[in-house]
Amino acid sequence: MDDARAGRRPGPPLLGRDADLQVVHAFVETSTRCGGAMLLSGEPGVGKSALVDAAAERAETIGARVLRMSGSDHGTVVGRPGLHQLLAPLQNEFARLPDAVSTGLSAVLGSADGPAPGPLIVANATLQLLRRAAQTQPILVVADDLHLLDRPTADVLAFAARRLTASRVAVLGAHRTGGLSTFGRAGLPEHELGPLSRIWATRLLEAVAPELAPRARARILAEAEGNPLALLELPAVLTSGQRADHQPLPSILPLGAGLQRLFTDRLAGLPRPTRDLLLLVALHGSGELGVPRDAARQAGGLDALAPAERAGLVAVHGSSGRLSFRHPLVRSTVVEGSSAVERRRAHSALAGALTHQPERQAWHLAEATPQPDELVAARLEDSARVSLRHGDVVLAVDGLSRAAQLSPAVADRQRRLDEAAYLAADVAGRLGDLTGVLGDAEGVRAPAGSLSTAVAQAYLLLNTSGDVDAAHDVLVAAIRRHAADHGELGPSFAEALHTLLLICFFGGRSELWVPFDAALSRLGPATPTSLLLAYRTMVRPGATAASVIDRLDAEIGRLGHVVDPITIVRSAMAGFYVDRLSVCRDALLRVLDDGRRGGAVASAIDAAMLLAFDHLGSGEWQRARQYADEGLASCAAHGYELLAWPGRLALALLAAMRGDDGTVRSLTEQMTVWAEPRRVGIVLCYARHARTLAALGRRDFDAAFQEAAGISPPGVVTSHAAHALPVALDLVEAAVRSGRSAQALAHVAAMEDADLPSISPRLALVTAGARAMVTTDATASSLFERAAGLPGADRWPFELARIRLAHGELLHRRRDVTRAREEFRAALGIFDRLGAHPWVVRAASELRSAGETAPPGTLGAAQADVRLTAQELEVAAMAASGLTNKQIGDRLYLSHRTVGAHLYRIFPKLGITSRASLSDALRAARQRPGDG
């Protein structure tokens, strides 16, 4: 029986085989009418047996009789066991043959006395039998595992297969590539079955193992190389934790029974020196033969590879001096077939030959060491840190985990376990590792309050329950103890402060920062640049960001050559509030791509959210939504609730700018309900920010002022509240339009005192725009012009359009109608391109009031389709947001009766009968292609 067929599990094995099926079906339909033969060839496990089964099914569908036979590596080499399989079903046909032929075939089967006839007589008799039987019903002979057929049967079948013209007999044989002898010389047509393409291999794997996480899926696809049997079997041999990317995958994937049968027979026949050398090559992993040759010096060198080459298991490329296994599964079979003692011996030999590669040597020493050994553990820990600097987070986590296993001291073991779990959760997306380490390690807990354990515990609390205060208490206590017990504060102390900074940032309360400030002062000049920059830009941007901008720009400028996802994400986060995300874009995309492949998954979530805000600011709103949605999906898949809130903020801001007040309400209610009981201040600021922007869009300036002032009081660019910067212009505009001139002036002065214009072009734009909004004398127009003309202003289209709209309104009030129209047209064009509907309505309304209609094709012009006047549009939008007639009247300086009259005319124009339908009707009326 076919070894591949024996190991095949139920599933959809013919995915991606449409072209092969067409070839086989065409052969069956043609050859069962006029005779013919064809061979299927392919590597073990590639799906030959499945295709043979499909051919048999098609033959039966069209009314042909199917006769099956297959070779077997367990069959006897004496006699003709394969011929018995073919002839036995046809015994009833013997009577129609001449007596001599019938008697000869009966003798072959052992059902008649007398000697068996010679090979040529048997071959002719078999051919006559098949032709005679096919006269009443077409016949398809399917012969699987031809390479395992006994030689006499193979000779008979080959003889018949070449003589089937006009016989209504078809012969379809399947064999392993390179495995035929008799049929290889028969000159028959052959169809080679190759591996599945990457696309179809992925689809097959998703069909049989949809639960696989990205890293496990990518590894199996690489190991299987399109082999269907491998794709079916490899997921089953992984643990549930490995399938979910919660546990590291082994360097050599284990094989199921079906896969082991593919190559073990050929490996078993190799000499011992050859198997030993193959094991060295397999464990070394690179295919380069220098190190295995040095490690195997006593085993006769590379000459021992010759038998493996002749067996078709490996290929040695003389020009490059490298070895490649015929298939990755051969490498796995070599390792799986060795004993633990043999593997340790091989690892030890490789370590001895790798003195010039200390990181790889450390891994081989670890695999060769069965008992705890601190020297080996320390070397492996050093190797893990090198891997982290090189951007390989998964290898770093695995290295620290293995180093923990080799640690004789409980404290060292726990420290390494905690660090591995923290790194896995913070970067690699394996939050479950923290739960496992902190839950399962109770019996071997490090000394109470150790810094590594506290960092892990605090991170887990923050990212699971969102308990900011508990996480803060745990980590602050450990930091104080560590500072008291250690004269020299090293990298572990700085890493703990990175985590504490994150906790304080999300807490969003000034009192949380007091112990952080004290701990940071202990580091002094030894403070890492990344920690200092994050503190100055994320925590106190209004007060101190300008002093570190040059250092931040230098750090970000180096990201093109950085592969460490931690460094990239931390640099981008430091640049977030000071508008440096655009120059981090390429580096963040690298992190995101790595996470998509199953690498730095948690860092990739951060990268996706940062990219969403970058595209939101630059006006690429569709891309912003895509990145936010991707980040949120990854948060849900990996359990990172805390990291999801920035993504929800991006979506809420997008909804606010587009006038989707229902989505804003839904998202901000989620934020408030989750954050209030946990006292997560930054998420409450997120809710206020989105509500501020939504209120500005519907011209509810009083509500907008109250929300923005809740983030940063007017007249203060609040320290320890970085979110004061994104809402600075919102606060000023809301204050001006709600009659709070003094508060608006005070806040502009605070923005200028904090030197915000020196931080970024966006902050220069909004500060200059805010100053123009609060200016009442003749210089106001020139201030608006100066703001719009600042270098880089067009990089922030939404803010620029708001400033130009405000300038137009000023010019219109001063009766400079011609220039006002220019500003209204410019603002309308930007808002229309972005899809910022509430601001489109405002700009179009102002343009019409200045005596000009919106240009054809704009969203503003599209409103004419529903025949609403500018004031009706404003009334309808406010009513759709939930405002009462009185509230609408107060904002538009109309009586509530006038508002009611407007609605009375609006409803029939929109084809509705109630306020409840207003939102959907307006959305439908403004639908248009494109998203910006």
Side-chain angles (χ1 to χ4, degrees):
M1 190 168 126
D2 186 351
D3 47 7
R5 189 177 176 190
R8 197 172 76 240
R9 299 189 298 112
L14 290 180
L15 282 176
R17 294 299 189 197
D18 289 352
D20 301 298
L21 281 169
Q22 288 177 7
V23 170
V24 169
H25 288 168
F27 163 76
V28 170
E29 291 164 3
T30 300
S31 297
T32 52
R33 290 197 307 268
C34 55
M38 184 174 74
L39 301 179
L40 291 174
S41 62
E43 293 292 337
V46 79
K48 300 183 296 296
S49 296
L51 210 57
V52 165
D53 290 344
E57 183 178 345
R58 175 54 63 94
E60 291 172 344
T61 300
I62 63 175
R65 182 177 186 180
V66 178
L67 301 175
R68 289 182 175 273
M69 59 191 304
S70 65
S72 173
D73 51 359
H74 302 298
T76 175
V77 297
V78 179
R80 303 179 178 94
L83 201 56
H84 280 244
Q85 297 178 50
L86 175 64
L87 297 179
L90 297 174
Q91 285 189 80
N92 292 336
E93 302 288 339
F94 287 8
R96 301 175 59 192
L97 298 171
D99 289 344
V101 175
S102 175
T103 301
L105 291 178
S106 296
V108 169
L109 293 178
S111 58
D113 296 332
L120 185 57
I121 294 175
V122 172
N124 273 301
T126 301
L127 179 58
Q128 289 185 55
L129 175 64
L130 290 171
R131 284 179 171 273
R132 185 65 60 88
Q135 289 175 0
T136 56
Q137 185 181 15
I139 290 176
L140 171 67
V141 178
V142 289
D144 212 348
D145 286 339
L146 283 176
H147 53 285
L148 298 177
L149 274 181
D150 58 276
R151 178 60 180 270
T153 298
D155 289 339
V156 168
L157 195 59
F159 176 89
R162 291 193 294 268
R163 296 166 173 82
L164 295 174
T165 304
S167 66
R168 298 217 301 172
V169 178
V171 172
L172 178 65
H175 68 92
R176 183 184 297 167
T177 299
L180 279 191
S181 54
T182 299
F183 271 88
R185 294 190 297 271
L188 298 174
E190 187 163 349
H191 178 72
E192 184 173 4
L193 194 60
L196 293 175
S197 68
R198 178 78 175 193
I199 292 175
W200 282 110
T202 301
R203 291 183 183 178
L204 174 58
L205 188 59
E206 289 174 346
V208 298
E211 78 285 359
L212 282 177
R215 186 166 65 249
R217 183 185 303 113
R219 177 69 181 284
I220 288 175
L221 287 170
E223 293 282 331
E225 283 193 346
N227 187 287
L229 180 60
L231 292 165
L232 292 167
E233 285 214 349
L234 285 175
V237 297
L238 300 181
T239 67
S240 59
Q242 289 168 339
R243 288 195 294 274
D245 282 353
H246 294 156
Q247 295 174 350
L249 296 171
S251 58
I252 304 290
L253 292 185
L255 301 179
L259 289 174
Q260 286 185 351
R261 282 195 292 269
L262 295 183
F263 301 105
T264 49
D265 55 342
R266 280 188 277 179
L267 285 169
L270 297 178
R272 164 64 67 177
T274 302
R275 296 202 303 273
D276 289 344
L277 184 52
L278 285 178
L279 181 60
L280 288 169
V281 174
L283 293 176
H284 184 241
S286 71
E288 183 270 328
L289 290 173
V291 171
R293 179 194 59 212
D294 295 343
R297 197 176 298 278
Q298 296 179 354
L302 298 182
D303 291 343
L305 290 174
E309 282 191 280
R310 287 194 295 270
L313 294 167
V314 300
V316 178
H317 309 283
S319 59
S320 62
R322 298 177 65 83
L323 175 145
S324 61
F325 287 97
R326 183 87 178 232
H327 193 281
L329 297 177
V330 177
R331 176 173 178 254
S332 299
T333 307
V334 168
V335 177
E336 286 281 301
S338 63
S339 68
V341 172
E342 289 170 336
R343 289 194 292 273
R344 285 198 295 270
R345 187 188 307 126
H347 280 296
S348 181
L350 289 168
L354 281 167
T355 55
H356 59 299
Q357 297 181 48
E359 286 78 36
R360 298 191 68 187
Q361 185 184 48
W363 270 103
H364 286 293
L365 284 173
E367 294 303 317
T369 305
Q371 301 297 327
D373 186 314
E374 178 55 30
L375 289 177
V376 176
R379 291 195 58 180
L380 193 55
E381 181 178 356
D382 292 341
S383 173
R385 301 199 187 286
V386 172
S387 298
L388 188 60
R389 288 197 297 273
H390 291 168
D392 194 336
V393 181
V394 175
L395 186 61
V397 170
D398 293 349
L400 286 167
S401 300
R402 179 68 177 129
Q405 294 173 353
L406 291 170
S407 303
V410 170
D412 289 330
R413 178 178 185 271
Q414 191 61 52
R415 173 180 59 81
R416 288 163 178 152
L417 273 178
D418 288 338
E419 186 173 356
Y422 170 70
L423 191 61
D426 186 41
V427 182
R430 285 151 48 178
L431 194 58
D433 284 20
L434 272 179
T435 305
V437 167
L438 297 178
D440 298 340
E442 292 298 331
V444 288
R445 175 60 52 197
S450 73
L451 195 56
S452 61
T453 300
V455 168
Q457 289 173 330
Y459 188 89
L460 185 63
L461 284 167
L462 188 64
N463 283 278
T464 51
S465 64
D467 193 337
V468 168
D469 291 329
H472 186 269
D473 292 347
V474 165
L475 192 50
V476 166
I479 286 172
R480 286 171 174 164
R481 279 193 294 268
H482 187 87
D485 295 343
H486 297 77
E488 184 176 345
L489 302 176
S492 62
F493 189 80
E495 187 61 38
L497 289 189
H498 268 295
T499 303
L500 184 57
L501 183 145
L502 187 67
I503 293 169
C504 295
F505 171 79
F506 273 100
R509 288 172 271 127
S510 58
E511 67 271 16
L512 296 175
W513 290 101
V514 174
F516 178 91
D517 292 339
L520 187 66
S521 66
R522 292 290 301 270
L523 282 176
T527 302
T529 298
S530 60
L531 182 60
L532 177 65
L533 293 177
Y535 180 66
R536 295 283 179 88
T537 60
M538 293 176 62
V539 181
R540 307 184 66 191
T544 62
S547 66
V548 295
I549 283 298
D550 289 343
R551 291 180 66 178
L552 175 63
D553 288 340
E555 287 297 307
I556 290 176
R558 287 191 281 268
L559 291 185
H561 307 289
V562 173
V563 293
D564 176 16
I566 298 175
T567 300
I568 292 171
V569 168
R570 285 179 177 173
S571 297
M573 284 182 170
F576 175 70
Y577 283 109
V578 294
D579 308 310
R580 292 310 194 270
L581 287 181
S582 61
V583 288
C584 301
R585 186 177 288 191
D586 289 344
L588 289 171
L589 284 171
R590 294 201 305 275
V591 175
L592 183 58
D593 287 340
D594 182 57
R596 288 166 174 165
R597 296 191 298 269
V601 173
S603 295
I605 293 174
D606 289 324
M609 303 309 188
L610 291 166
L611 286 165
F613 284 105
D614 178 34
H615 287 79
L616 205 61
S618 63
E620 301 163 276
W621 288 357
Q622 180 63 20
R623 297 295 301 278
R625 172 178 284 281
Q626 290 170 354
Y627 284 124
D629 286 342
E630 180 175 356
L632 288 169
S634 191
C635 286
H638 297 277
Y640 285 85
E641 175 62 20
L642 188 73
L643 299 186
W645 294 113
R648 295 188 182 110
L649 170 62
L651 295 181
L653 294 178
L654 184 58
M657 290 185 288
R658 286 177 166 166
D660 185 358
D661 285 352
T663 297
V664 174
R665 281 195 298 272
S666 174
L667 288 171
T668 55
E669 284 172 7
Q670 292 176 43
M671 294 174 187
T672 303
V673 168
W674 184 85
E676 276 188 344
R678 295 170 173 82
R679 306 180 73 202
V680 184
I682 192 64
V683 177
L684 294 175
C685 285
Y686 291 168
R688 287 187 176 277
H689 186 181
R691 289 196 293 261
T692 297
L693 207 52
L696 285 174
R698 63 177 182 266
R699 302 185 68 178
D700 186 352
F701 299 116
D702 187 68
F705 177 81
Q706 298 298 335
E707 294 290 355
I711 298 173
S712 178
V716 180
V717 179
T718 308
S719 176
H720 296 87
H723 220 72
L725 297 189
V727 299
L729 180 64
D730 303 336
L731 178 57
V732 172
E733 182 180 1
V736 168
R737 292 181 179 275
S738 63
R740 296 175 171 89
S741 300
Q743 290 96 324
L745 281 165
H747 204 67
V748 174
M751 294 165 69
E752 293 170 340
D753 290 344
D755 200 16
L756 297 190
S758 69
I759 294 176
S760 76
R762 187 191 73 84
L763 289 171
L765 170 66
V766 300
T767 302
R771 169 53 68 185
M773 287 180 183
V774 300
T775 300
T776 57
D777 60 27
T779 64
S781 182
S782 62
L783 291 176
F784 273 117
E785 290 176 350
R786 176 181 172 275
L790 285 171
D794 57 354
R795 171 70 177 75
W796 312 96
F798 184 65
E799 285 84 352
L800 176 60
R802 288 169 60 186
I803 289 168
R804 297 201 69 169
L805 176 61
H807 186 199
E809 290 168 337
L810 171 73
L811 292 170
H812 196 201
R813 288 195 301 272
R814 294 182 175 179
R815 303 185 186 281
D816 190 345
V817 177
T818 300
R819 292 175 61 204
R821 289 171 182 169
E822 292 176 3
E823 295 301 309
F824 292 147
R825 281 195 297 267
L828 176 60
I830 296 173
F831 289 139
D832 183 67
R833 176 178 64 81
L834 295 174
H837 177 69
W839 280 269
V840 168
V841 172
R842 282 177 54 185
S845 174
E846 293 290 348
L847 187 59
R848 279 191 289 271
S849 69
E852 183 177 317
T853 58
T858 66
L859 192 60
Q863 303 309 311
D865 292 343
V866 295
R867 304 182 307 281
L868 298 186
T869 67
Q871 192 163 76
E872 285 173 344
L873 280 170
E874 287 189 288
V875 169
M878 291 183 181
S881 72
L883 297 181
T884 65
N885 289 5
K886 185 176 186 307
Q887 290 171 324
I888 296 171
D890 290 343
R891 278 155 201 167
L892 296 180
Y893 303 102
L894 302 171
S895 72
H896 67 88
R897 292 185 180 86
T898 301
V899 172
H902 277 309
L903 290 173
Y904 181 79
R905 291 190 295 270
I906 288 169
F907 286 176
K909 288 183 179 182
L910 293 176
I912 59 175
T913 58
S914 69
R915 298 172 90 101
S917 304
L918 265 174
S919 183
D920 290 339
L922 287 173
R923 188 178 298 112
R926 66 179 182 248
Q927 288 294 328
R928 63 190 291 264
D931 203 302

